[in-house]
Amino acid sequence: MTRGRIRSKIRRSNLYTFSCLRPQTTDTEGPNAVQGSRVVHCNQPQLHLKKPLKYCSNFISTTKYNVVTFLPKAIFEQFRRVANLYFLLAAVLSLTPISPFTPVSMIAPLAFVVGLSMAKEALEDSRRFVQDMKVNLRKVSVHKGDGVFGYRPWHKIRVGDVLKVEKDQFFPADLLLLSSSYEDGICYVETMNLDGETNLKVKRCLETTLSLNDDESFKDFLGKIRCEDPNPSLYTFVGNLEYDRQVFPLDPTQILLRDSKLRNTAFVYGVVVFTGHDSKVMQNATKSPSKRSTIEKKMDYIIYILFTLLVLISLISSLGFAVKTKYQVPDWWYLQPKKPDGVFDPTNPSLSGFYHLITALILYGYLIPISLYVSIEVVKVLQATFINQDIHMYDEESGNTAQARTSNLNEELGQVDTILSDKTGTLTCNQMDFLKCSIAGTAYGVHSSEVEVAAVQQMAIQEEDVDLSNFPKRRGGRHVSRDNVERASEIELETVITSSNENDLKPTIKGFSFEDRRLMNGNWSKEPNADVHLLFFRILAICHTAIPEYNEATGSFTYEAESPDEGAFLVAAREFGFEFFRRTQSSVFVRERYTNSGEPVEKEYKILNLLDFTSKRKRMSVIVQDQEGQILLLCKGADSIIFDRLSKNGKVYEETTTKHLNEYGEAGLRTLALAYRKLEESQYATWNNEFQKAKTSIGGDREAMLERVSDMMERELILVGATAVEDKLQKGVPQCIDKLAQAGLKIWVLTGDKMETAINIGFACSLLRQGMKQICITTTNSDALVKDGKELFFVTEQGAKENILNQITNATQMIKLEKDPHAAFALIIDGKTLGYVLDDNMKHQFLGLAVDCASVICCRVSPKQKAEVTRLVKEGTGKTTLAIGDGANDVGMIQEADIGVGISGVEGMQAVMASDFSIAQFRFLERLLVVHGHWCYKRIAQMVCYFFYKNIAFGLTLFYFEAFAAFSGQSIYDDWYMLLFNVILTSLPVISLGVFEQDVSSEVCLQFPALYQQGPKNLFFDWYRILGWMGNGLYSSLVIFFLNIVIFYDQAFRVGGETADMEAVGTTMFTCIIWAVNCQIALTMSHFTWIQHLLVWGSIVTWYLFLFLYGMMSPLISGNAYQILVEVLGPAPIYWAATLLVTITCNLPYLAHISFQRCFNPMDHHIIQEIKYYKKDIEDRHMWTRERSKARQETKIGFTARVEAKIRQLRGRLQKKHSSNLSAS
């Protein structure tokens, strides 16, 4: 609490310039100034129990179903499947006399399939319900009356309640801040769950409510809020507070949003404005959608085709039966019915034909495989189990594994075209490391960035003549050796960056990876221009808004900074000997360790003014007065901004510093330039008068006045140097993005961060690189142009739209006219501009431009905009999208995308609970897609195609026999054969195909990422392949039926001269089917395990075993199949010969097809399979490496593309150097 009291003395509002002016009170501004009908009676929640003031409760639900809607919605979901709808109709018809099967045999399978799927849906939704209840049952302190506060569950909070929220608690609703533990009513808020930013935001209450700072003060507190209606805008709020007979305007700085967290503030008091689904974060949420994979949707069309075929052959059967009944049955006296009915009435062939149509529709139902859905469900659950148990996606730090939270989208993982990713917590740790700097024209820092080291390594692999001694050292301090380079098979950043010599390793300091003896341990004082070095370090230690906190465990100070960069600068300053250790209302204190006296000295710098950093200004300045009375302006900012403000004598180091900045930028580092200006007291006093006038002015031009006055002071600067910090990404992120880019995936980043941060992250992730042309689509602030009336605003909005459309059109034209094959474009757009772009009139042009760009970064986007962008990409491109994020602000896009992936990190479980898959780190996305996605897609695609093949091969034989049996509805197969066909005899091999099949191993999938493109291109489930498999089934059915008929027709099949009856022919045909379809699946498999051998060949053995046991049963049970194998077919050589001949004839065309394809038109995995089979990857490493380099999709993003650009640059330098040497000689 001591620390809290010290910090509460600091009035942060006095430090800030552009966003700290207190709201002005006015009696003239009434409630009519606010557009919105919401009225909140503060501290009187009972007034909101009746309409029109009855608002929604604070109970939230993110589930897809509830107790009432589960049954109708879940049943609707199941019968969206066309096959299920057909079997429902068949089950109903089975209750009638015209059914060829018993009702149980039709109803039981359907009930099992639908019930199993509904149970799975209920289980998955119950997990969401449990998570919702955890949130709803959280407790918060609520004013119960007479100044007494007590705890109450979140879901019982009402509009108008006064809450007391304590440190590190989440806000349960949208609150109006009334007061805090700080004397000036500020508080620190973390909005990670809303916009993804980890930087703390400063909120401040109205000055009039500052006195409400303890429980007792709320005893008689009353007030009325008139504000806007619920809306999804996180960054706006319009309202008035009527309190103490005055009206006070409200703005977003007084609003505490639900799901943000109170940090570094003991407590705050606030009144509830929006609850539950009215809160802004829930307004940004989208309903849990019902997702179906692309293959499953396409299966419906195949079912339509098969259903059309079913109706066609049923009509043929019906017509044939009617004709036979009318013209031939009267002559067949032995078939005359004793009592004619509608089903079989020779006197009314039309009615008999109609009834036979229904019978045929049920009889030929084997064309449509009901077991397909059950088998797919089983396969997908087993696939999900393999994903969950993959040890390569286990995160040791958190102990989390990958989780397939819904298994019905497994194959969709293999067809992703575009990834839309959050930034903070997903790509980055939001941690910066101070790596290099340039002071007085001299570059310092011997460690190389990841980009530099990887470029040298890759170039050395490709070109033997590279002189490695010319290139920078790795972080261990040693040059990259040629031996290490030659051993490297691919860019492995983790091993490159980390030194292999343990003696080189030093204790790591968070935020500081700098190493250079010239500056460390006070050696900077021995450098030329030591006075410039002194200024450089002082700027680092003074020019910021951070607050120090003493860490008793480490004995050093840590810093609460508004950006990670500031934190890294302060850590660097501390390590250089300039430790910022205290801040008061008007001063900062720095402990300088290395002085002329040799003893540490504490110096005080009075803060006169602080000019904030904004995205428009791109710089920050502080005006201080040192102990000698000298007034200094210290400035840091973007180099382009600082260099334009240098004085003539301040450009001494500009040329060399610019060179260093370019090198740092090429190395993927974030850079800032540092400068200063000495001021005379009179000069400062004159400027300060102007500044104070601008600061206290009231009106729409206040911001412009402040900017103009600040710009006057930030001139005539003297350049000191520049900094280079490395943005710490999560482990493995660059490699993962690189591999995904090589796999042909497009990656968009959607973040709530400001544009500069997003761009820097883009560079760190290699989504952006030096030399890439950036297209920034922005809009001017239309609010600043509003004078009076709404008409001007309308014109301004139209102008903004036209301006944005022109920017998009010009950028599109520029890309089309670009002739450089290596040119790459990056599109960067902010949330405000997106608000215009997502309009129907412009979104398709924007999408066209975005698709043409190598990478897309959307910054300052709200959760709802993330979902809208995801929907635009999904619907506009028609391709599979994947969204990945870790916070509540990502839930919308996770639910909107075809596949949602949540990262189970430190930001709660909202994203995970809304996701289809969860992983612990972004890097695991590589394996989830490139390995499991590739496998699951091919497995499911082959499985579905095979299923239709075997059912067509089996089902059409029933139709052929019908033609031979006068379309009588008689089946050639025993009922038990037909029941066992899909349930036992052919189901397990196809399940093994869907679970264990691998065209290549996981290692090869990662080494040849281009294999992944087989999914997005849909090579294994396009209509050509589907119709091919159907044709194969048609061919097999013809061979199986007619070849057997030819063999057995009009001739004896036993030594005794017996001819085959229907049972013998039917059993032989069924044996041929079992052999043909199981041999077919064996030819389809690329990867065999003992399980597959057991299931494939075991199914054939099971058939013979069943035939033997079934024939042994009493004739009352086995009927005509009594002793069918032992006495009838077994002793007949023609039975075995027919089985062999038919099986070979059925599979010969497929064998010829795959042989021809492998020889003359092989696919990528065919080549790799041959290389692995003949062990060429071991015997001929050069060929293996060459093939691997080919197996990458051409991409302009990712680490490899960045390294190749660096290589082109280095080669150009070497050529110039070589040319200059030749000319000199």
Side-chain angles (χ1 to χ4, degrees):
M1 294 302 295
T2 303
R3 187 172 66 211
R5 285 196 297 271
I6 292 172
R7 295 179 60 200
S8 61
K9 295 177 182 176
I10 302 172
R11 284 184 175 265
R12 290 291 297 269
S13 55
N14 290 348
L15 297 178
Y16 286 93
T17 302
F18 293 97
S19 59
C20 60
L21 191 65
R22 291 286 177 193
Q24 299 294 314
T25 61
T26 173
D27 293 323
T28 60
E29 199 169 326
N32 293 331
V34 179
Q35 293 183 350
S37 59
R38 195 176 188 90
V39 177
V40 177
H41 295 276
C42 302
N43 213 14
Q44 294 176 292
Q46 68 277 2
L47 297 180
H48 303 112
L49 297 177
K50 296 181 181 179
K51 291 184 178 182
L53 299 180
K54 187 176 182 180
Y55 303 122
C56 74
S57 72
N58 205 40
F59 182 89
I60 60 103
S61 174
T62 60
T63 57
K64 191 189 299 185
Y65 310 105
N66 58 41
V67 176
V68 177
T69 63
F70 173 73
L71 205 58
K73 285 185 72 173
I75 289 175
F76 171 75
E77 287 295 323
Q78 294 309 310
F79 290 105
R80 285 171 66 186
R81 293 171 169 172
V82 184
N84 284 352
L85 203 57
Y86 163 74
F87 284 109
L88 176 65
L89 177 63
V92 172
L93 292 174
S94 70
L95 299 170
T96 65
I98 59 176
S99 172
F101 305 116
T102 60
V104 175
S105 64
M106 296 300 295
I107 295 172
L110 179 65
F112 175 75
V113 171
V114 172
L116 191 68
S117 299
M118 287 175 64
K120 187 170 77 70
E121 287 281 319
L123 178 64
E124 290 172 353
D125 210 48
S126 66
R127 293 172 183 161
R128 297 189 183 98
F129 174 76
V130 169
Q131 182 62 28
D132 288 342
M133 291 311 298
K134 285 182 181 177
V135 174
N136 287 323
L137 294 176
R138 288 176 181 169
K139 299 290 182 68
V140 68
S141 183
V142 184
H143 184 229
K144 295 184 175 181
D146 297 324
V148 177
F149 280 74
Y151 286 96
R152 187 183 296 169
W154 277 23
H155 69 91
K156 291 187 177 180
I157 292 170
R158 297 171 294 178
V159 172
D161 274 330
V162 174
L163 307 183
K164 181 180 182 180
V165 180
E166 298 173 344
K167 182 180 178 182
D168 292 331
Q169 288 184 344
F170 287 99
F171 298 113
D174 291 351
L175 312 179
L176 170 66
L177 176 62
L178 297 176
S179 63
S180 77
S181 56
Y182 291 96
E183 65 175 23
D184 58 349
I186 67 152
C187 69
Y188 297 92
V189 175
E190 182 186 272
T191 58
M192 167 71 82
N193 279 342
L194 303 180
D195 55 19
E197 293 190 34
T198 54
N199 306 333
L200 302 184
K201 311 294 190 301
V202 179
K203 299 285 186 177
R204 56 187 60 81
C205 69
L206 295 173
E207 204 157 336
T208 187
T209 60
L210 278 175
S211 58
L212 303 170
N213 57 4
D214 58 30
D215 293 359
E216 284 292 326
S217 59
F218 288 94
K219 186 175 181 179
D220 301 315
F221 169 67
L222 294 174
K224 185 185 290 185
I225 299 171
R226 298 181 185 271
C227 65
E228 63 189 16
D229 293 323
N231 64 79
S233 177
L234 296 174
Y235 307 110
T236 62
F237 182 83
V238 179
N240 293 326
L241 171 65
E242 298 175 19
Y243 175 62
D244 199 19
R245 299 182 182 179
Q246 287 184 296
V247 179
F248 303 89
L250 302 175
D251 60 52
T253 59
Q254 287 102 38
I255 302 301
L256 307 172
L257 299 181
R258 180 189 174 109
D259 276 350
S260 52
K261 183 189 285 188
L262 184 65
R263 297 291 300 273
N264 303 315
T265 309
F267 60 84
V268 296
Y269 291 100
V271 62
V272 176
V273 180
F274 297 116
T275 51
H277 289 275
D278 283 348
S279 62
K280 289 183 180 287
V281 67
M282 295 306 295
Q283 287 280 308
N284 275 278
T286 55
K287 292 183 179 179
S288 300
S290 298
K291 297 182 181 180
R292 301 177 70 210
S293 69
T294 306
I295 287 182
E296 190 176 343
K297 292 173 185 175
K298 201 166 189 175
M299 275 168 53
D300 285 348
Y301 292 104
I302 303 174
I303 296 292
Y304 293 144
I305 293 173
L306 291 181
F307 188 75
T308 304
L309 178 62
L310 170 65
V311 171
L312 179 63
I313 63 177
S314 296
L315 285 171
I316 294 172
S317 292
S318 173
L319 184 63
F321 181 72
V323 171
K324 290 277 185 180
T325 302
K326 182 176 182 179
Y327 294 107
Q328 293 182 337
V329 169
D331 299 330
W332 297 341
W333 56 268
Y334 52 88
L335 290 181
Q336 298 303 314
K338 294 180 180 179
K339 187 184 290 185
D341 55 17
V343 178
F344 180 48
D345 185 359
T347 62
N348 192 350
S350 299
L351 184 61
S352 297
F354 174 74
Y355 282 127
H356 186 79
L357 173 64
I358 299 172
T359 302
L361 286 171
I362 300 173
L363 178 65
Y364 302 144
Y366 281 91
L367 281 172
I368 300 175
I370 188 172
S371 59
L372 171 63
Y373 290 109
V374 179
S375 299
I376 287 179
E377 292 288 349
V378 171
V379 164
K380 287 184 176 181
V381 168
L382 292 173
Q383 287 177 349
T385 303
F386 286 152
I387 291 174
N388 298 345
Q389 295 181 353
D390 190 340
I391 192 66
H392 297 288
M393 293 195 290
Y394 172 73
D395 183 46
E396 293 183 359
E397 187 176 336
S398 64
N400 291 328
T401 60
Q403 289 289 325
R405 295 175 43 78
T406 176
S407 58
N408 61 348
L409 296 173
N410 294 350
E411 70 273 21
E412 202 81 338
L413 291 171
Q415 296 183 276
V416 176
D417 178 77
T418 305
I419 297 173
L420 301 106
S421 174
D422 176 40
K423 180 191 76 67
T424 308
T426 303
L427 299 177
T428 69
C429 307
N430 222 29
Q431 176 191 333
M432 307 297 170
D433 267 8
F434 190 94
L435 192 64
K436 297 186 179 188
C437 62
S438 171
I439 309 175
T442 304
Y444 297 95
V446 297
H447 282 172
S448 299
S449 70
E450 297 171 350
V451 174
E452 291 175 302
V453 176
V456 173
Q457 183 188 33
Q458 187 72 3
M459 185 176 174
I461 292 171
Q462 296 182 4
E463 191 166 328
E464 294 292 327
D465 298 330
V466 175
D467 182 8
L468 294 176
S469 61
N470 292 334
F471 297 114
K473 294 185 289 183
R474 62 169 75 180
R475 293 197 180 179
R478 297 179 295 120
H479 288 286
V480 179
S481 69
R482 186 174 296 278
D483 290 339
N484 289 338
V485 167
E486 290 173 352
R487 282 198 301 267
S489 61
E490 59 183 354
I491 301 175
E492 296 282 358
L493 297 185
E494 297 299 324
T495 56
V496 170
I497 294 167
T498 307
S499 172
S500 60
N501 187 347
E502 293 184 3
N503 295 328
D504 290 338
L505 297 177
K506 296 180 179 179
T508 57
I509 300 170
K510 185 178 180 181
F512 189 74
S513 296
F514 179 88
E515 185 176 331
D516 195 325
R517 295 177 181 175
R518 293 175 294 173
L519 295 187
M520 302 304 293
N521 301 319
N523 292 333
W524 58 266
S525 60
K526 303 173 185 176
E527 290 287 298
N529 302 308
D531 55 333
V532 180
H533 288 68
L534 181 67
L535 265 172
F536 180 90
F537 299 135
R538 284 178 175 171
I539 293 174
L540 292 182
I542 299 169
C543 188
H544 57 80
T545 58
I547 294 176
E549 287 191 349
Y550 184 71
N551 189 326
E552 296 179 358
T554 61
S556 61
F557 285 90
T558 57
Y559 303 102
E560 278 184 17
E562 289 204 346
S563 72
D565 305 67
E566 275 195 356
F569 292 151
L570 288 168
V571 171
R574 183 190 69 200
E575 296 302 315
F576 289 132
F578 294 77
E579 183 177 50
F580 164 58
F581 68 93
R582 185 183 170 200
R583 180 188 287 279
T584 66
Q585 188 62 48
S586 58
S587 301
V588 295
F589 296 82
V590 177
R591 185 180 294 114
E592 299 183 4
R593 288 205 303 267
Y594 306 109
T595 59
N596 294 329
S597 64
E599 295 294 326
V601 175
E602 294 183 0
K603 292 200 172 185
E604 177 185 0
Y605 296 89
K606 292 183 180 179
I607 297 184
L608 305 179
N609 301 91
L610 191 148
L611 313 179
D612 300 2
F613 179 94
T614 66
S615 57
K616 183 179 179 181
R617 285 166 42 78
K618 296 184 180 179
R619 64 190 183 276
M620 172 195 173
S621 299
V622 59
I623 301 175
V624 299
Q625 187 174 35
D626 62 19
Q627 292 175 334
E628 288 76 34
Q630 175 65 58
I631 299 176
L632 296 168
L633 179 138
L634 309 178
C635 183
K636 64 182 180 186
D639 54 276
S640 58
I641 301 295
I642 300 296
F643 288 175
D644 287 344
R645 286 167 168 72
L646 297 178
S647 63
K648 290 184 179 179
N649 62 345
K651 299 181 178 181
V652 178
Y653 311 118
E654 183 180 9
E655 185 177 348
T656 52
T657 304
T658 302
K659 178 185 175 184
H660 295 155
L661 284 168
N662 291 335
E663 291 173 356
Y664 298 157
E666 291 166 6
L669 303 177
R670 299 172 61 158
T671 59
L672 285 178
L674 275 59
Y676 78 101
R677 177 185 180 184
K678 290 185 177 180
L679 302 172
E680 299 295 332
E681 284 194 24
S682 57
Q683 183 184 16
Y684 168 74
T686 303
W687 173 86
N688 193 42
N689 288 334
E690 292 290 323
F691 184 75
Q692 293 302 326
K693 288 180 183 177
K695 187 176 178 180
T696 56
S697 66
I698 300 173
D701 58 347
R702 174 178 170 271
E703 297 287 331
M705 290 176 62
L706 277 169
E707 174 58 36
R708 180 179 57 80
V709 176
S710 299
D711 188 65
M712 289 168 50
M713 177 56 70
E714 294 169 322
R715 294 282 176 180
E716 299 300 313
L717 303 176
I718 299 174
L719 182 64
V720 174
T723 61
V725 296
E726 190 170 34
D727 197 345
K728 296 304 291 181
L729 299 170
Q730 287 193 9
K731 182 181 178 183
V733 165
Q735 300 97 305
C736 178
I737 288 179
D738 186 50
K739 195 73 74 176
L740 294 174
Q742 291 178 34
L745 293 164
K746 304 176 185 69
I747 302 173
W748 293 33
V749 174
L750 311 179
T751 176
D753 272 355
K754 57 182 182 286
M755 184 174 287
E756 289 73 20
T757 307
I759 290 173
N760 289 328
I761 293 299
F763 276 103
C765 294
S766 297
L767 292 172
L768 304 177
R769 67 172 189 270
Q770 207 72 12
M772 182 180 274
K773 298 177 182 178
Q774 296 180 18
I775 301 171
C776 294
I777 308 294
T778 58
T779 181
T780 54
N781 184 2
S782 59
D783 295 340
L785 302 175
V786 179
K787 300 290 184 180
D788 297 306
K790 296 181 180 178
E791 187 175 347
L792 181 59
F793 177 80
F794 175 76
V795 174
T796 305
E797 185 177 4
Q798 287 297 108
K801 286 184 177 180
E802 291 175 5
N803 177 263
I804 294 167
L805 188 59
N806 286 336
Q807 292 181 59
I808 293 173
T809 304
N810 294 337
T812 305
Q813 192 67 21
M814 180 177 66
I815 293 175
K816 288 180 179 178
L817 296 175
E818 180 59 55
K819 296 180 180 179
D820 182 4
H822 299 297
F825 295 87
L827 177 62
I828 301 159
I829 188 169
D830 60 22
K832 185 174 182 181
T833 311
L834 266 179
Y836 294 111
V837 166
L838 293 174
D839 184 70
D840 289 339
N841 299 326
M842 211 184 302
K843 63 183 180 183
H844 295 296
Q845 292 96 316
F846 165 73
L847 183 62
L849 171 62
V851 169
D852 289 337
C853 292
S855 59
V856 180
I857 297 177
C858 303
C859 50
R860 277 295 177 202
V861 291
S862 67
K864 192 162 189 176
Q865 283 179 323
K866 286 185 177 184
E868 289 173 346
V869 171
T870 304
R871 187 185 308 123
L872 173 63
V873 177
K874 180 177 71 173
E875 296 176 353
T877 63
K879 296 178 181 178
T880 304
T881 56
L882 180 147
I884 180 169
D886 73 321
N889 60 317
D890 305 313
V891 167
M893 72 171 183
I894 284 173
Q895 292 180 333
E896 184 62 49
D898 294 298
I899 306 170
V901 178
I903 292 184
S904 51
V906 297
E907 293 307 319
M909 297 294 288
Q910 292 95 327
V912 170
M913 291 307 298
S915 68
D916 306 302
F917 298 87
S918 69
I919 52 179
Q921 295 277 329
F922 182 87
R923 60 191 166 98
F924 297 136
L925 188 63
E926 173 190 343
R927 188 172 181 87
L928 184 66
L929 297 182
V930 177
V931 177
H932 290 284
H934 175 71
W935 282 348
C936 290
Y937 162 72
K938 292 192 73 172
R939 288 166 176 170
I940 296 292
Q942 289 179 315
M943 175 185 171
V944 172
C945 287
Y946 173 79
F947 236 108
F948 288 120
Y949 150 79
K950 75 179 180 68
N951 275 67
I952 289 174
F954 174 59
L956 286 180
T957 58
L958 291 169
F959 171 66
Y960 304 149
F961 181 74
E962 280 288 279
F964 273 75
F967 300 104
S968 61
Q970 174 65 48
S971 171
I972 192 173
Y973 305 121
D974 188 284
D975 287 350
W976 278 99
Y977 299 175
M978 299 177 73
L979 281 172
L980 294 176
F981 178 74
N982 280 323
V983 176
I984 293 177
L985 298 176
T986 60
S987 61
L988 295 179
V990 77
I991 288 175
S992 72
L993 173 72
V995 175
F996 298 108
E997 170 64 359
Q998 293 180 14
D999 55 346
V1000 292
S1001 66
S1002 60
E1003 293 79 10
V1004 173
C1005 283
L1006 295 172
Q1007 291 172 340
F1008 291 81
L1011 283 175
Y1012 182 82
Q1013 277 300 304
Q1014 292 178 341
K1017 291 178 181 177
N1018 204 18
L1019 297 183
F1020 287 87
F1021 205 66
D1022 56 1
W1023 283 112
Y1024 172 79
R1025 190 169 291 262
I1026 293 167
L1027 294 175
W1029 275 99
M1030 287 183 170
N1032 192 16
L1034 174 63
Y1035 165 78
S1036 297
S1037 69
L1038 291 168
V1039 169
I1040 289 167
F1041 182 80
F1042 288 103
L1043 201 53
N1044 273 294
I1045 291 295
V1046 168
I1047 291 172
F1048 286 96
Y1049 195 73
D1050 283 345
Q1051 64 178 323
F1053 82 104
R1054 284 169 58 94
V1055 178
E1058 297 94 339
T1059 57
D1061 62 359
M1062 186 181 74
E1063 193 69 31
V1065 174
T1067 304
T1068 305
M1069 287 171 58
F1070 199 85
T1071 303
C1072 293
I1073 290 172
I1074 298 301
W1075 270 98
V1077 298
N1078 280 292
C1079 287
Q1080 175 68 69
I1081 202 170
L1083 287 173
T1084 304
M1085 291 177 179
S1086 303
H1087 176 73
F1088 270 97
T1089 64
W1090 66 268
I1091 299 175
Q1092 286 155 297
H1093 279 296
L1094 177 66
L1095 296 179
V1096 172
W1097 312 122
S1099 294
I1100 297 174
V1101 173
T1102 302
W1103 161 242
Y1104 286 113
L1105 187 62
F1106 163 77
L1107 207 56
F1108 172 76
L1109 295 175
Y1110 186 52
M1112 295 290 288
M1113 293 181 182
S1114 166
L1116 296 174
I1117 299 174
S1118 58
N1120 293 333
Y1122 180 69
Q1123 296 290 350
I1124 187 72
L1125 179 64
V1126 175
E1127 294 185 3
V1128 182
L1129 297 177
I1134 197 171
Y1135 166 71
W1136 303 102
T1139 302
L1140 179 63
L1141 178 62
V1142 170
T1143 302
I1144 292 174
T1145 308
C1146 284
N1147 287 286
L1148 202 56
Y1150 181 79
L1151 183 63
H1153 164 71
I1154 59 175
S1155 300
F1156 179 85
Q1157 186 182 40
R1158 282 179 176 272
C1159 291
F1160 299 102
N1161 189 26
M1163 301 180 76
D1164 293 339
H1165 65 282
H1166 292 152
I1167 298 171
I1168 297 168
Q1169 285 170 354
E1170 274 196 41
I1171 292 173
K1172 296 292 284 185
Y1173 180 79
Y1174 291 109
K1175 298 183 179 179
K1176 291 292 184 182
D1177 56 318
I1178 299 173
E1179 298 172 3
D1180 190 348
R1181 295 294 299 174
H1182 181 69
M1183 183 194 74
W1184 181 248
T1185 305
R1186 186 182 68 246
E1187 290 299 323
R1188 284 183 56 191
S1189 65
K1190 290 179 183 177
R1192 297 189 322 216
Q1193 289 291 306
E1194 186 175 344
T1195 179
K1196 294 177 181 177
I1197 64 169
F1199 211 88
T1200 301
R1202 194 171 190 171
V1203 167
E1204 287 173 351
K1206 182 77 174 178
I1207 288 171
R1208 287 195 295 270
Q1209 183 188 38
L1210 292 174
R1211 281 178 177 160
R1213 290 180 184 176
L1214 287 173
Q1215 287 175 357
K1216 286 182 181 178
K1217 186 177 180 181
H1218 183 65
S1219 301
S1220 61
N1221 290 340
L1222 287 176
S1223 58
S1225 60

